[in-house]
Amino acid sequence: MVVNVDLANARKAVSFPVEELTHFINGGPEKTVRRRWLRSLVDPQNDPIFSNINQPFLSRDQYYILMIKRFKKMLQLKKLHNLQKDDWGYLIIFTMELSISTLHDLFFTPTLERQMSEEQSSKWFPLAKEYSILGCYLQTELGHGSNVRKLETTATYIHETDEFEIHSPTLTSIKWWPGALARTSTHGILFARLIIDKKDYGIHSFIVQLRDERHKPMPGIEIGDVGPKYGYNYNDNGFLRFTQVRIPRENMLMRFSKVSRSGHYSTPPHAKIIYDTLVSNRINFLELSTLFLSKALTIAIRYSLVRKQGDDYKDLKNENLILDYQSQQYKLFSGLALLYASFFNKIYMQKLYENYIKNIGKIDDNLMAEVHASSAGLKALCTDLVLEAIENARQSCGGHGYSQLSGIPNVLTYYAHLVSAEGENTIMYLQTGRYLLKSFLIAKKGSSTGGRLSHLSFYSKILMEKCAAETLEDLLDAETQLCAFRHMYLRLLSDLNTSIETSATTHPHGYDGSKADHMIDIVHLSRAYCHYITLINSHEGLQSVKKEQSAIYPILRALIDLYFINAALNQSGDFLIDGYYTSHHISLLKQGQKKLLNIIRPEAIGLVDAWEYCDNNLNSALGREDGNVYETLYEWVKMEPMNILEKQGKIVGYDEGLKDILTGKYLKEIKEIEIGKVKPRL
Ligand SMILES: Cc1cc2nc3c(=O)[nH]c(=O)nc-3n(C[C@H](O)[C@H](O)[C@H](O)COP(=O)(O)OP(=O)(O)OC[C@H]3O[C@@H](n4cnc5c(N)ncnc54)[C@H](O)[C@@H]3O)c2cc1C
C-alpha cells in the first residue's frame, strides 16, 4: 500500500501513543485484541458477503436482501464462535447491520427479559435469543408518537375466552414507523390501551404474533412498508393495522402490571417503569453517536490531510493542505472535542444505568428522576450536536462531500433519525428542564435535592459569584470551568423560575399555563444544564485517564477544554448578562480557542485513526487509510451501473428521449399529434 505522502507525514508527527487511545476507546488492551479478531471475522477478504463496495449503487430491495444474507452469516459466526453480548454488539455496530439486530437485540429481547414475569420470560426469551422469532417495537402510531399516553390501539380483555382483543379503532391508530416491521419481524412488543370492563387502564405492553410459520401476516393483521425515507432505506420501517386480533391474556407483559383470570388489574410499583427500555436505548444512542461521528471525522480529517486547495501565502508555488486552514480546523476539531466529550458522557450514563437496572423494582424516586432527566437531556444535546458535527464534516469535504462515494451522506442520513426517535429532542429537553424547575422549587423551600443537584441548596450563594480568573490558564482550570457552567445554568434557572412565577399570577391557567409560555427558555436552560453535566462527566473521566493512561491525558484534556470554550462562547451572552464573565474573559476564551486548534492540529489524525475503522467499514473514497482519494474516486465511478451500461453500448436515456430532442423529432411529434388539440389557457 503506497500511502499518500502528506497523510504519512501527518501520522509521523502525532506525539501521543495512538494505540493507547485505541485501548481507552475499547475499554482496555484485551478488548482491543478481541475487537481486532472480531473485525477479521467480517473481513470481506474472508467472505465477500461483507464487502460494501457496491453499496451506493444498490436499490432498496437489493440492499435489504444483502443485509438479510449478511445477518444470516453473522448469526452463523455468532454460533460458531459462541459470541456473547458484548462481542455480538460490537460486530453489529462494526458492520452496521443495524436494522434487524437493533430492533431485535436492543428493543425487543431486553423488553421481554425485563418486563415479563419469570414464567413468561422462560417461554419467550429463549425463542428470541435463538432468533427463532424476530421482533420489533410497536409504539408509534400514525397520529401519535411523542405523546405515548394518547396512543389509540386498544387491548380489550374478553372474560369469556380469557383473551385480549387487539384493535386499531381509527386511521390515526395504525402503527407507523416501527423498524423491521414491514417484512422482517414475526412478533412485536405492542403498546396499547388496556381496557377491562370498559375501564381504560392506560398504556401497557403485549407480545403479538405478526406472521405465521410461512411468514404470512396473521389473520386480522395488515402490514406494509412506509416507503422511501431520508436515509436508512434498507430498514423495513412499517405500518400495521389490527382488526379484532385475539391474543391470550398471558401475552400481556406482566412483570409489573398484571391482569388476573377474573380480570382484576394490579398496579405497577412505579408508573414509569415500563419505559425502562426507552432509557436504555437513549444510552445506546450516546454510543451510536460516538461511532457515527468518529466515522464522519475519520473520513473528513484524512481527506483534509490529502486535499490541497488555495495558495500558500508564504510560498506561492505551494498549495495548502485544507486542514491547515484555521476555519477548517474549527469545523473539524470542534467535532473531535464533541466526540470525546460524548464518549465521557456515554461512560458515565452506562454506569448510572447499570446501578439503576440492578435496583429496578426497588428504585428510589430521586435516582429514577435523575436517570430519566439525564438520559433525556443528554440524548437530545448529544444527538443535536452530533448531527450538526456530521453535517459540518460533510461540508468540510467541499463538493466531494455531497457524493455518496464520500461515505458521509450515508452516515448523516442514517444518523438523522436519532434526533426524532426514542424521544423527540425538544420533548427530551423539556422533560429535563421541568425536572430542573421542580428541583429548584424544592430547594427554594429549603429541602434537599440530592444527587447531582445537591448544589441547589446553595443556589443563592452561587448566584452571587463572579469569575475570579485572570488568565486563560485560570479560566481553563477544571473546577473553574464547572463553576462557570454551574453559575450560568443556575442564573438561567432562577431567572426563568421568577419569570414563570410572575406571569403565573395573571395567567388564566396559572403556573402550568405560564410554563407553557416559556418553552423556548426551558429548552435553552436544559441545553445549558446538559453542557454542565457533560463537562462534569468529562472532567471526572479525565481524572481516571490521568492516573491510568497519562500519555493520552494532555490531548484529551485539550479537546475537553475546546468543548468548554466552544460551549461558553456560543452562550457568551448568558455569562455576561449578570457580570459573571467580563469582556476580558470572553477575549481570553477566543484566544484559547485558537491556541487549542494549533495544539490539536498535529494530533488530529491520531485522534481518528485510533478508532481503527478499516476501508470497507468506512466505505469512503475520501477517507481511505492510504489517502489514495482521487484514484479511488475514479475507480469507483466506473462501478456506477449507468456507466457500465454505456461501456456495453447502451446509453441510458438516449433512445428513451434524448435522441428525439437532439434530432428535433420532438417538434415534429408536436405538430403531428398535439397542435390544435391543446387550447391555450386564458
Ligand atoms: C427511522 C425511524 C425509525 C423509527 N423506529 C421506530 C420503532 O422501531 N418503533 C416505534 O414505535 N417508533 C419508531 N419511530 C417513531 C419515532 O419514535 C417517532 O417518530 C418519534 O418518537 C417522534 O414522534 P412523532 O413522530 O410523533 O413526532 P411529533 O411528536 O409529532 O413531533 C413533531 C414536532 O412537534 C413538536 N412537539 C410534539 N409534542 C410537543 C410537546 N408536547 N411540546 C412541544 N413540542 C412538541 C416536536 O418537538 C416536533 O418538533 C421511528 C422513527 C423513525 C424516523
Side-chain angles (χ1 to χ4, degrees):
M1 175 169 82
V2 181
V3 179
N4 170 287
V5 64
D6 292 305
L7 193 55
N9 287 339
R11 287 195 172 112
K12 275 188 220 140
V14 173
S15 72
F16 69 89
V18 175
E19 198 175 43
E20 198 161 321
L21 183 58
T22 305
H23 298 333
F24 170 68
I25 292 166
N26 290 333
E30 312 76 34
K31 288 210 170 143
T32 301
V33 173
R34 184 86 184 160
R35 287 187 170 192
R36 286 177 185 163
W37 170 72
L38 286 166
R39 239 174 35 174
S40 72
L41 294 181
V42 291
D43 187 329
Q45 293 198 335
N46 298 334
D47 191 333
I49 193 85
F50 293 112
S51 170
N52 285 322
I53 194 96
N54 217 12
Q55 176 257 309
F57 307 114
L58 297 181
S59 61
R60 275 191 77 198
D61 53 339
Q62 288 170 327
Y63 203 169
Y64 176 74
I65 292 166
L66 175 67
M67 289 295 157
I68 295 288
K69 285 185 179 168
R70 268 195 202 169
F71 194 62
K72 176 180 156 193
K73 182 74 200 178
M74 285 169 69
L75 287 177
Q76 288 168 338
L77 290 172
K78 184 175 190 241
K79 258 283 175 259
L80 199 64
H81 298 285
N82 191 23
L83 300 181
Q84 298 304 308
K85 200 175 166 198
D86 279 0
D87 286 344
W88 178 240
Y90 176 74
L91 214 57
I92 293 292
I93 282 168
F94 183 74
T95 52
M96 286 292 150
E97 301 309 305
L98 288 166
S99 57
I100 311 171
S101 57
T102 321
L103 278 307
H104 184 85
D105 295 336
L106 297 184
F107 288 70
F108 182 73
T109 313
T111 309
L112 298 182
E113 194 181 5
R114 293 193 204 125
Q115 309 280 343
M116 281 188 154
S117 67
E118 270 178 37
E119 197 187 339
Q120 290 177 312
S121 187
S122 63
K123 173 180 170 188
W124 292 103
F125 186 63
L127 296 172
K129 212 170 153 234
E130 289 301 310
Y131 301 90
S132 311
I133 58 173
L134 287 173
C136 58
Y137 198 74
L138 303 166
Q139 185 172 299
T140 309
E141 296 175 355
L142 192 50
H144 289 97
S146 307
N147 196 357
V148 179
R149 272 175 301 180
K150 284 284 189 278
L151 294 177
E152 296 175 84
T153 306
T154 50
T156 309
Y157 183 57
I158 312 291
H159 286 274
E160 294 72 27
T161 55
D162 195 21
E163 290 174 311
F164 289 110
E165 184 174 276
I166 310 293
H167 190 59
S168 311
T170 58
L171 175 71
T172 45
S173 71
I174 297 175
K175 291 289 171 188
W176 205 274
W177 273 120
L181 164 64
R183 284 172 297 281
T184 314
S185 297
T186 60
H187 289 69
I189 299 288
L190 171 75
F191 284 75
R193 314 199 74 79
L194 171 65
I195 314 280
I196 308 171
D197 298 328
K198 298 195 178 144
K199 183 170 172 193
D200 185 338
Y201 287 87
I203 304 304
H204 288 74
S205 40
F206 304 81
I207 182 161
V208 183
Q209 183 170 354
L210 307 175
R211 289 179 179 269
D212 65 17
E213 285 62 35
R214 289 173 307 124
H215 214 59
K216 296 266 189 280
M218 296 293 283
I221 286 184
E222 182 196 354
I223 298 187
D225 193 297
V226 295
K229 298 160 295 223
Y230 178 62
Y232 197 21
N233 272 307
Y234 59 87
N235 188 354
D236 55 324
N237 293 84
F239 70 85
L240 164 60
R241 181 170 208 160
F242 295 99
T243 308
Q244 292 168 330
V245 173
R246 294 288 180 96
I247 58 167
R249 178 174 53 89
E250 295 77 35
N251 280 24
M252 175 171 150
L253 273 54
M254 295 213 214
R255 178 161 178 202
F256 302 109
S257 314
K258 292 182 177 59
V259 175
S260 71
R261 175 65 188 91
S262 63
H264 174 74
Y265 173 79
S266 46
T267 336
H270 198 297
K272 279 187 180 160
I273 220 140
I274 65 162
Y275 304 129
D276 148 52
T277 316
L278 280 182
V279 175
S280 88
N281 284 318
R282 282 175 202 153
I283 298 168
N284 288 329
F285 275 25
L286 294 181
E287 170 137 45
L288 282 179
S289 300
T290 59
L291 292 163
F292 277 76
L293 181 55
S294 57
K295 263 187 159 189
L297 290 172
T298 304
I299 295 169
I301 288 176
R302 284 185 182 165
Y303 177 65
S304 299
L305 283 163
V306 171
R307 179 78 164 177
K308 288 182 174 170
Q309 194 88 229
D311 293 333
D312 178 353
Y313 67 92
K314 289 168 268 149
D315 177 358
L316 288 180
K317 277 189 236 121
N318 283 337
E319 268 201 299
N320 285 319
L321 281 173
I322 57 174
L323 198 63
D324 283 329
Y325 292 112
Q326 192 183 62
S327 46
Q328 182 83 349
Q329 292 170 7
Y330 174 67
K331 281 184 218 168
L332 293 174
F333 302 168
S334 299
L336 281 175
L338 171 66
L339 171 64
Y340 285 93
S342 305
F343 191 82
F344 284 119
N345 269 338
K346 181 203 82 166
I347 295 175
Y348 170 77
M349 283 308 298
Q350 278 170 340
K351 280 191 199 139
L352 187 66
Y353 185 69
E354 273 163 29
N355 184 22
Y356 168 87
I357 278 299
K358 251 189 242 155
N359 297 308
I360 202 159
K362 44 180 173 167
I363 293 178
D364 158 63
D365 270 3
N366 283 337
L367 175 65
M368 186 125 175
E370 185 170 336
V371 171
H372 274 273
S374 329
S375 67
L378 284 180
K379 180 266 172 183
L381 184 71
C382 175
T383 53
D384 265 1
L385 297 179
V386 166
L387 183 62
E388 202 178 293
I390 297 174
E391 171 61 12
N392 277 340
R394 190 192 67 73
Q395 288 182 28
S396 73
C397 297
H400 290 319
Y402 194 69
S403 165
Q404 289 280 353
L405 305 184
S406 74
I408 302 187
N410 204 20
V411 173
L412 181 70
T413 55
Y414 172 90
Y415 186 81
H417 86 278
L418 300 193
V419 301
S420 311
E422 285 311 292
E424 196 279 330
N425 277 3
T426 304
I427 294 166
M428 296 294 94
Y429 286 130
L430 290 170
Q431 277 183 19
T432 308
R434 287 182 192 127
Y435 162 75
L436 293 173
L437 282 163
K438 204 168 144 192
S439 306
F440 187 67
L441 289 179
I442 294 172
K444 263 182 79 179
K445 284 182 191 143
S447 304
S448 154
T449 39
R452 282 232 158 138
L453 289 182
S454 54
H455 59 263
L456 285 182
S457 307
F458 317 103
Y459 77 90
S460 42
K461 190 166 163 265
I462 296 170
L463 288 174
M464 303 293 287
E465 288 167 353
K466 299 274 176 270
C467 179
E470 286 177 7
T471 63
L472 177 63
E473 209 186 339
D474 296 341
L475 267 178
L476 293 186
D477 168 73
E479 199 46 43
T480 311
Q481 289 182 22
L482 297 182
C483 285
F485 265 83
R486 188 180 63 181
H487 174 93
M488 184 272 286
Y489 107 78
L490 256 178
R491 164 61 55 212
L492 293 176
L493 177 56
S494 164
D495 289 357
L496 175 60
N497 183 62
T498 308
S499 179
I500 292 175
E501 282 183 345
T502 309
S503 57
T505 54
T506 52
H507 199 288
H509 302 291
Y511 188 81
D512 283 344
S514 171
K515 219 163 48 175
D517 287 347
H518 286 83
M519 267 193 190
I520 305 170
D521 314 271
I522 299 175
V523 170
H524 187 64
L525 158 73
S526 186
R527 283 176 65 101
Y529 173 71
C530 290
H531 278 304
Y532 169 58
I533 49 177
T534 298
L535 285 166
I536 300 181
N537 295 341
S538 300
H539 283 294
E540 276 179 11
L542 278 170
Q543 283 315 307
S544 72
V545 172
K546 197 173 185 178
K547 272 191 229 133
E548 288 153 33
Q549 292 111 336
S550 57
I552 57 169
Y553 172 78
I555 186 61
L556 292 185
R557 177 63 202 258
L559 288 167
I560 297 308
D561 288 348
L562 182 60
Y563 178 90
F564 159 74
I565 291 184
N566 286 344
L569 287 177
N570 281 339
Q571 268 181 268
S572 52
D574 293 323
F575 286 96
L576 290 166
I577 199 159
D578 65 353
Y580 182 82
Y581 275 167
T582 61
S583 55
H584 172 63
H585 292 123
I586 300 298
S587 84
L588 285 178
L589 289 175
K590 286 184 178 169
Q591 288 164 29
Q593 190 178 49
K594 291 170 190 112
K595 212 169 145 189
L596 285 165
L597 296 181
N598 286 333
I599 291 172
I600 296 164
R601 164 65 182 88
E603 318 294 359
I605 187 67
L607 290 165
V608 289
D609 276 353
W611 291 78
E612 297 199 332
Y613 290 113
C614 60
D615 284 339
N616 184 58
N617 191 244
L618 290 179
N619 203 23
S620 163
L622 308 190
R624 298 262 316 190
E625 200 179 345
D626 61 11
N628 292 324
V629 168
Y630 301 123
E631 296 83 345
T632 312
L633 273 173
Y634 185 51
E635 195 187 312
W636 284 8
V637 289
K638 292 182 184 161
M639 288 188 290
E640 160 62 51
M642 287 186 280
N643 293 342
I644 294 173
L645 281 174
E646 174 133 15
K647 281 257 179 253
Q648 294 164 352
K650 162 81 184 147
I651 304 169
V652 176
Y654 186 69
D655 289 335
E656 292 83 356
L658 267 180
K659 190 163 85 184
D660 292 350
I661 297 167
L662 297 170
T663 57
K665 194 174 167 220
Y666 78 106
L667 288 172
K668 282 188 211 144
E669 282 177 5
I670 299 179
K671 281 176 198 142
E672 285 163 15
I673 303 168
E674 302 290 343
I675 288 183
K677 285 191 188 163
V678 181
K679 296 209 166 58
R681 274 197 194 169
L682 295 174

